[in-house]
Amino acid sequence: MILDCLGQKCPLPIIELARAFPSVAVGETVTVLADDPAAEPDLKAWCRLRGQSYEGRSGDAFLIRRLT
Amino acid sequence: MVSFDAASGLPLHPLAREAWLAALDDGWADPARLYGSARRARQLLDGALASMAAQLGCRVDELHLSPNGTQALYGAVRGVRAARARVGSHVVHSAIEHSAVLHACGEGPATSVPVDLLGRVSLDAFEAAVQPDTVLACLIAASHEVGTVQPRVEVPVPVLVDAAQAIGRTPLPSWDLLAGSARKWGGPSLGLLAVRTGVRWVSPWPEEGGFPGSLDLPAVLAAAVALEAVSLERVAEDARLRPLVGRIRAAAGAIEDVEVVGDPDERLPHLVTFSVLYVDGESLVMALDAEGFEVSSGSSCTSSVLEPSHVLVAMGVSTHGSVRVSLSRWVTEDDVDRFCQVLPQVVARLRG
């Protein structure tokens, strides 16, 4: 799954991710496209708080894996 | 309206206000001149310097005054680098220093040492970052953004302690250079840099010995009076504010998807920061303002540079929806209880 949040300010990408997450199967990944400077710290923190895995970034693409 | 933003600034302490008003009549002359009113001004200045030095635990000749705390920090780093150029210019600093320290350190070779989730610097990493050409280590006494008091470091180089939030609030760690800001302890805008005898520091400005320009003498007198006053009140205020901050920590932490950040125990008595998921910081600040509470935020939408707080990023906590509450002598128990009552309603409304 890809969530295009380019141009969105935080917390919008995090809200989009939280909304979409129930439809991600455990073990699958979701890619969040975001260019807000707060996206990286906030996606990492969200994964930590939610017990999910932040797999890294490539440019404006952030990869998150559902663990639970 | 209740100011919950003492860490940014607070009204003059009542005794400092009295001193400031009196000094407008009595201490307006240039203390460097030789005539009668100037000699009177010099007497007042000497008394204020002696008082501040005593409160800070240093000698009068170790104390330099600056226009504000930011310039004191710049002057500290630049002055040590200038004085110790033969040794090197490398500087070690924590990742959560004030941005003035980060900017000044960035003017030459520097190593940034990370902090953990609670905002505590890693002692091993800090000590290991010191090299043969390191001339200075910078470690803030307690974070101005999350309140975490830093552990004590043992390094073979001079240590600059930014004590802006610690002076008048909590006992100071040992230091070689100490920077502070009178605005944070109930004085007017005035900074200080204390340099221990034997620590090599030169003024990075052409002026002999200190910071450039003449001093605002009424501000110096008021700052000294405020420091004496808050030092006398410190233990009682700590006992009063620490549990009030504890109530805010509990109330914020009880809201779903809110993370209270910073060390729960090793912290400043008056300051707490929390992150509200799914809400932007600007909306929180405005909504709480409408409820009568003035708070600050480390979220990018509330910063002048539209970047999230480097302190929150370094800790790895969420940067949006960030709220920093810092209490002062002006805040009552009722204010805090009403805040704890209002906060969950504001968050629920904004999450809509």
Side-chain angles (χ1 to χ4, degrees), chain B residues 25-308:
Chain B
D25 291 328
D26 204 21
W28 50 268
D30 183 344
R33 300 291 167 256
L34 298 176
Y35 38 79
S37 50
R39 291 198 301 274
R40 170 70 184 144
R42 183 72 228 182
Q43 277 181 336
L44 293 171
L45 175 61
D46 287 346
L49 289 171
S51 163
M52 273 197 270
Q55 297 299 337
L56 297 168
C58 69
R59 289 166 33 171
V60 174
D61 61 2
E62 295 175 327
L63 182 59
H64 306 277
L65 299 180
S66 62
N68 52 60
T70 303
Q71 290 206 25
L73 293 172
Y74 273 110
V77 177
R78 287 178 179 162
V80 169
R81 269 202 176 121
R84 305 197 68 204
R86 275 194 314 136
V87 177
S89 62
H90 179 255
V91 173
V92 173
H93 62 84
S94 84
I96 60 161
E97 297 300 302
H98 187 280
S99 52
V101 172
L102 299 185
H103 287 141
C105 291
E107 292 170 349
T111 301
S112 177
V113 180
V115 296
D116 63 15
L117 189 58
L118 296 177
R120 283 167 63 90
V121 76
S122 156
L123 277 186
D124 289 346
F126 198 90
E127 287 160 17
V130 175
Q131 308 164 8
D133 63 341
T134 302
V135 293
L136 178 69
C138 311
L139 184 58
I140 196 166
S143 170
H144 53 300
E145 292 205 35
V146 300
T148 300
V149 171
Q150 294 302 314
R152 298 188 175 207
V153 289
E154 301 257 346
V155 287
V157 295
V159 177
L160 164 63
V161 173
D162 171 3
Q165 292 300 335
I167 292 172
R169 302 267 183 203
T170 188
L172 299 180
S174 65
W175 49 269
D176 298 297
L177 300 100
L178 179 82
S181 164
R183 270 184 79 197
K184 316 296 188 191
W185 73 63
S189 185
L190 181 79
L192 68 87
L193 173 64
V195 183
R196 288 274 188 228
T197 305
V199 172
R200 297 200 57 204
W201 179 85
V202 294
S203 170
W205 290 280
E207 308 233 345
E208 281 282 309
F211 289 79
S214 56
L215 288 165
D216 178 355
L217 184 56
V220 176
L221 302 180
V225 169
L227 183 55
E228 268 189 42
V230 297
S231 300
L232 283 173
E233 294 164 2
R234 188 182 74 74
V235 173
E237 276 295 89
D238 186 299
R240 189 179 76 89
L241 295 180
R242 202 170 279 278
L244 294 182
V245 164
R247 283 189 209 179
I248 297 174
R249 294 183 68 93
I255 305 171
E256 196 178 359
D257 291 324
V258 171
E259 184 181 30
V260 181
V261 303
D263 197 307
D265 303 312
E266 296 298 315
R267 61 170 170 85
L268 291 169
H270 68 302
L271 189 150
V272 56
T273 295
F274 51 89
S275 294
V276 182
L277 279 186
Y278 313 127
V279 181
D280 71 89
E282 185 177 12
S283 299
L284 277 164
V285 170
M286 300 314 287
L288 287 168
D289 187 37
E291 296 285 348
F293 298 101
E294 300 175 339
V295 302
S296 75
S297 169
S299 298
S300 53
C301 53
T302 63
S303 91
S304 52
V305 290
L306 294 177
E307 291 279 339

Side-chain angles (χ1 to χ4, degrees), chain A:
Chain A
M1 184 191 298
I2 294 177
L3 296 174
D4 185 354
C5 302
L6 294 171
Q8 293 181 8
K9 297 275 166 234
C10 278
L12 291 176
I14 315 298
I15 294 174
E16 294 272 320
L17 175 64
R19 277 207 189 110
F21 219 66
S23 57
V24 179
V26 173
E28 293 299 305
T29 61
V30 52
T31 299
V32 181
L33 302 177
D35 50 10
D36 184 85
E40 181 170 9
D42 287 10
L43 287 167
K44 281 182 182 170
W46 186 86
C47 289
R48 174 179 59 78
L49 288 167
R50 293 267 149 212
Q52 312 301 340
S53 173
Y54 174 85
E55 306 268 288
R57 78 181 285 180
S58 166
D60 288 338
F62 298 86
L63 193 65
I64 285 137
R65 187 178 301 281
R66 181 164 184 179
L67 296 182
T68 57

